[in-house]
Every structure is written in structure tokens, then in C-alpha cells.
Amino acid sequence: MKTTLRHRPLPPAAANRIAMFRKLLKILLPLFIVVLLFLAGIKLFGAEELDQWLNRIASDPDAPVPEEADLALHRSMFIADLHADTLKWDRDLLERGLWGHLDVPRMVEGSVALQSFTIVTRSPFPFGRERFQGTEKCVDGDRLDIANVLATVQGRPSDSALARAVYQIERLKEAAARSRAEGRTELRLLLTAEDLRQLVIDRRNGEQVVGAILGIEGGHWVGAESASGSVEKDMKMLFDLGVRQFAATHRFDNGLAGSSEGCERYGLTQRGERALLAAEALGMAVDLAHMSEAGMKDAARLLSKPLMVSHTGVKGQCVEPCRPARNLSDDQIRLVLESGGIIGIGYWPYAVGPSIWHIADAMEYTMLLAKEMGLEADAHVSLGSDYDGSVQPFFDVSELSLLTAVMRQRPQPFSNEAIRNIAGLNVCRYFARILPGGSDALALDICATPSSDGAVPDLRSGSTRR
């Protein structure tokens, strides 16, 4: 005769705890497996392979072939770009790389005069259980920090976001010093408007020199994680380290402001207001890239100097796979234009869509909004590549003449003057106003548009030379 074992029913509280544990395990186990595989991949293949995989080039079979007139214009321009994350990867800035998007030799090939090197210190793991803001997926800042993992694998400081930022700052300074010591193309860190003037003079005199601006992409620790515990002291420390471009947020909400891809998307916090006011007073460019719409409105109300969005697309020209949450609405564009600021248009599909030609479409869209507002149409658009930012642009920096060809060969081509402004003169004027010692008069002096015969003012004597 078989005996049937009967289990005593669990108390309701215990049954609820077990059910909750099973539910939690069902959520966390797939995430744990994905994270484990990701970490194992980094450890097995290395950060170099991750760099090669994340920073590829997007192909467009319809990309133009630059004509001689395109190349001639391109080589004659002062070209500036507002955003590259190259410092987070272990590549020598002074050597021509076999992968990635940017280094000094390739900048020379692309005729780049000035580059903002922006510093990423936190990157939440993008997979796992989805969270939503309204109907859109959002980026949760509490996820595993991939920037920390990458820094650990690379043997860099990983104990804090500030330590990771300082390490990248020192990497740029070391490369700049080595470029001079070894007689290579000089990589020169710009700290003042006078430094910018000297860069323009030296390049017009044929010297091989490329300017660099240091920027922060996400000041997550400011006023919170540092020993000082003071927003103003933290901002002054960044300024003293050489930072001249400051973005409060990255892809997730933080203690300074909500992000355009965050899960809450609130406006500026009290800490955020203090950080941006300190940046403006010190002579840093305030970069609103990645900031929530509420945060941008708060910044526009709070600040008096021209604003910047270093790298973006526009929602009004967002064709799949473009991501609307990543890009600017018409109202956000108007906020920047009303301040007299500049907007850097990106080169990658999530920003502009599936074709290289859409880069110029996003530029034109912004220019039309400026014109509707009674502003000079081409005075507020600039380049914002996001090179080496784990994106796939349509070309690396050595192939930048492709973009000049796009602007000249499109059905409604831009004028040469507009192309010169977009390619770099707008950025030149912006930093000539914002950097310490800058002014509107200095911007017009340093960053003059060449006349129709190619003549430019001589910055030393006030005369004109060809």
C-alpha cells in the first residue's frame, strides 16, 4: 500500500516571499547572464576588440565622390568639431590608428583645425529589464557602469567618475607635450581666447598644429562624490585642470539634471543650476547635449551667454533608424538659437537617419528655423561628430571631405560661405566669445570669413593678406 506524503501549506507571508523571490530571480537571472557574458567578452577579447566593434564606420553606397572643387574648398577651411570621445580608448592620439574614427594624423588628413575632446565617465549597461518613460525606452542610471568596467580592464583608475575624468585629461596633456617634444604635428590645448587667436595665426602661417578643447560629458560627481562636497569648488577644479566645455548630463538622469533618454527627465536640480552658473562664470562653454527638454528650458532661463549642443540630430528630420529621444525638438533648437548659440549636427544613423545626405538635411532644417526667427541662417550650425563614442558614423575624420561634398552636391547646395561657417567658423566665433578673455569683437577679429577672392584679415596688423 502506497503512502501519500502531504505537505503542510506554507503560511501566506512565507508563500508571498517565495513568490517574490521567484519573480525577482526570473528578472535578474537573464540580466546576470548577459552581464556575465559581456564581462567575459571584454576580459577574453580585450578593450581593443571592443573598441573595434563599437567604433565602426557605417557604409552608404550613395555617398558622393568629392570633386576637385569640393577638395579645394575643404582644404582651405578652418574646420572644427565639437565632440569626440577618443580619450576613453587606449589608442595613441599621435599615431594613425587602424580602427576607430580619430587621431592627430587622420585629423591632419581631414584638415581639422580644432577638436573638442569630450570625457565620458559613466555608461550604464544598456540591456536587461526594460524601463519606460511614457512609451519610450529609457536609460537607467542604476545599471552596471560599463565605463567603470572598461577602465578596470584597461588598468585605469576605476574608483570614481572623477578619477576617470582626471586620467583622461592627463592623457590629452601628455599627448600634447609629446607632440612638441618629438617634433610631430603639434596637438595644442586651448585655454583662452588668446590661445585660439594664436592657433588661427599659426595655421594661416602654415604651421602643422591642431587645437584641442577639453570637455566633460556628464558631471555626475559634481558637488556629490568629490572630497570638496562643493559644486563651485568642483567646477573650479575642472577649470584649473583645463576643461573648457561642460555637459551636465549624459544618457541618464543624474544629480544635476534629467537626461533626454533618462527615466524621469526632470529639469535642472539646485546642484545643476549652481554647476552651470559656475561654468559660465569661469569661461566654460555650457553644453546641453543629452539634457532633458525641461533641463534645457531651465538652462536657457538661467544663463546669459550663448549655449551649445555639441552633438545631436533633429526630431523634425528623424528618419529610421534615427532615435527621436536622442535628438532636438523644434522648441529645443529655438532655445539654443535665441541664446546666440550653436548646434553640432552628428554623422551617425541614430542621429540623422540611414544616409550620409541626411546630415545636410538636418543642418538645413536647423537653418530654416533660424531664418524663420529672423536670424542669420548659417550662423548657428556646426559639426558634432561624436567620433569614437560607440557610434558608427558614415566616415572617419580623414574622410571629412565627404561632408563638404555632400553640402556642395546636394540638390539645394549650400553656398561656400555657409559651408565655411558650418565647417568651423561658427565654432571659432563661439569659443572666441566664451573662453576667458573672449568677446564679440574678438570673435569677429579672429574668425573672419574670407572674401570672395580668398583674402583674410591679418590678425597681427589688421591688414588683409592672401
Side-chain angles (χ1 to χ4, degrees), residues 77-84 112-118 190 192-193 195-197 199-200 211-214 244-245 284-285 287 306-311 340-345 347 363 378-385 400 403 417-435 438-440 442-444 446-449:
M77 295 192 296
F78 182 95
I79 297 176
D81 176 73
L82 288 172
H83 199 97
V112 172
L114 178 60
Q115 178 67 55
S116 287
F117 288 91
T118 42
L190 305 188
T192 66
D195 291 343
L196 177 58
R197 178 203 290 271
L199 174 72
V200 174
I213 296 283
L214 271 170
R244 294 296 183 269
Q245 182 173 319
M284 293 186 192
D287 182 3
L307 302 169
M308 168 207 291
V309 175
S310 63
H311 60 305
I342 53 173
I343 295 172
I345 300 298
Y347 311 159
M363 292 172 172
D378 56 32
H380 304 276
V381 179
S382 56
L383 308 184
S385 66
L400 194 54
L403 183 52
E417 180 180 356
I419 294 171
R420 287 184 186 277
N421 286 333
I422 293 166
L425 290 180
N426 289 338
V427 171
C428 181
R429 295 183 192 108
Y430 179 84
F431 280 118
R433 293 183 178 101
I434 296 296
L435 291 176
S439 67
D440 289 347
L442 197 62
L444 295 175
I446 294 175
C447 314
T449 302

Side-chain angles (χ1 to χ4, degrees), residues 129-134 136-143 251-254 258-266 292:
R129 187 185 182 193
E130 294 176 342
R131 289 190 62 189
F132 288 83
Q133 207 282 346
E136 297 176 332
K137 294 180 184 178
C138 64
V139 179
D140 185 352
D142 292 329
R143 299 232 185 262
R251 296 187 62 200
F252 57 96
D253 305 323
N254 66 15
S259 166
S260 63
E261 296 178 271
C263 296
E264 304 298 332
R265 305 185 188 182
Y266 42 80
S292 67

Side-chain angles (χ1 to χ4, degrees), residues 166-425:
V166 172
Y167 182 89
Q168 292 183 55
I169 289 169
E170 294 305 321
R171 280 197 74 216
L172 181 74
K173 291 180 179 179
E174 183 277 332
R178 189 157 43 90
S179 72
R180 294 188 296 272
E182 297 176 0
R184 301 177 184 230
T185 295
E186 182 185 355
L187 178 63
R188 184 185 299 172
L189 180 61
L190 305 188
L191 301 176
T192 66
E194 183 56 36
D195 291 343
L196 177 58
R197 178 203 290 271
Q198 194 60 50
L199 174 72
V200 174
I201 290 173
D202 290 347
R203 285 186 62 88
R204 287 181 184 172
N205 289 338
E207 293 188 29
Q208 284 287 300
V209 56
V210 176
I213 296 283
L214 271 170
I216 294 292
E217 185 173 25
H220 318 294
W221 69 89
V222 170
E225 298 175 18
S226 66
S228 77
S230 164
V231 171
E232 288 75 18
K233 286 182 180 178
D234 287 347
M235 295 303 295
K236 182 61 164 59
M237 181 183 67
L238 287 174
F239 179 84
D240 290 343
L241 286 167
V243 172
R244 294 296 183 269
Q245 182 173 319
F246 180 79
T249 55
H250 196 188
R251 296 187 62 200
F252 57 96
D253 305 323
N254 66 15
L256 302 181
S259 166
S260 63
E261 296 178 271
C263 296
E264 304 298 332
R265 305 185 188 182
Y266 42 80
L268 286 177
T269 65
Q270 185 180 55
R271 273 170 51 205
E273 289 186 352
R274 289 168 60 191
L276 297 194
L277 284 170
E280 183 177 71
L282 287 164
M284 293 186 192
V286 175
D287 182 3
L288 301 185
H290 292 287
M291 190 173 285
S292 67
E293 189 151 1
M296 287 188 68
K297 289 178 181 177
D298 289 342
R301 168 186 53 80
L302 183 72
L303 302 174
S304 59
K305 293 182 181 179
L307 302 169
M308 168 207 291
V309 175
S310 63
H311 60 305
T312 188
V314 297
K315 289 183 180 180
Q317 282 287 337
C318 202
V319 181
E320 289 188 0
C322 169
R323 293 175 175 173
R326 175 63 190 81
N327 297 327
L328 298 182
S329 68
D330 288 8
D331 286 343
Q332 289 172 298
I333 293 170
R334 291 188 186 101
L335 284 176
V336 179
L337 299 184
E338 285 171 355
S339 78
I342 53 173
I343 295 172
I345 300 298
Y347 311 159
W348 70 102
Y350 287 159
V352 295
S355 170
I356 191 173
W357 298 93
H358 289 147
I359 303 171
D361 293 343
M363 292 172 172
E364 183 181 50
Y365 188 90
T366 306
M367 291 160 67
L368 289 173
L369 283 179
K371 189 174 181 180
E372 288 174 5
M373 296 169 65
L375 303 173
E376 189 176 347
D378 56 32
H380 304 276
V381 179
S382 56
L383 308 184
S385 66
D386 201 15
Y387 278 145
D388 293 317
S390 303
V391 297
Q392 288 79 53
F394 293 104
F395 43 84
D396 75 8
V397 69
S398 70
E399 304 169 309
L400 194 54
S401 59
L402 283 169
L403 183 52
T404 301
V406 165
M407 290 189 280
R408 295 189 80 250
Q409 295 184 25
R410 64 195 304 269
Q412 292 81 38
F414 297 163
S415 69
N416 283 358
E417 180 180 356
I419 294 171
R420 287 184 186 277
N421 286 333
I422 293 166
L425 290 180

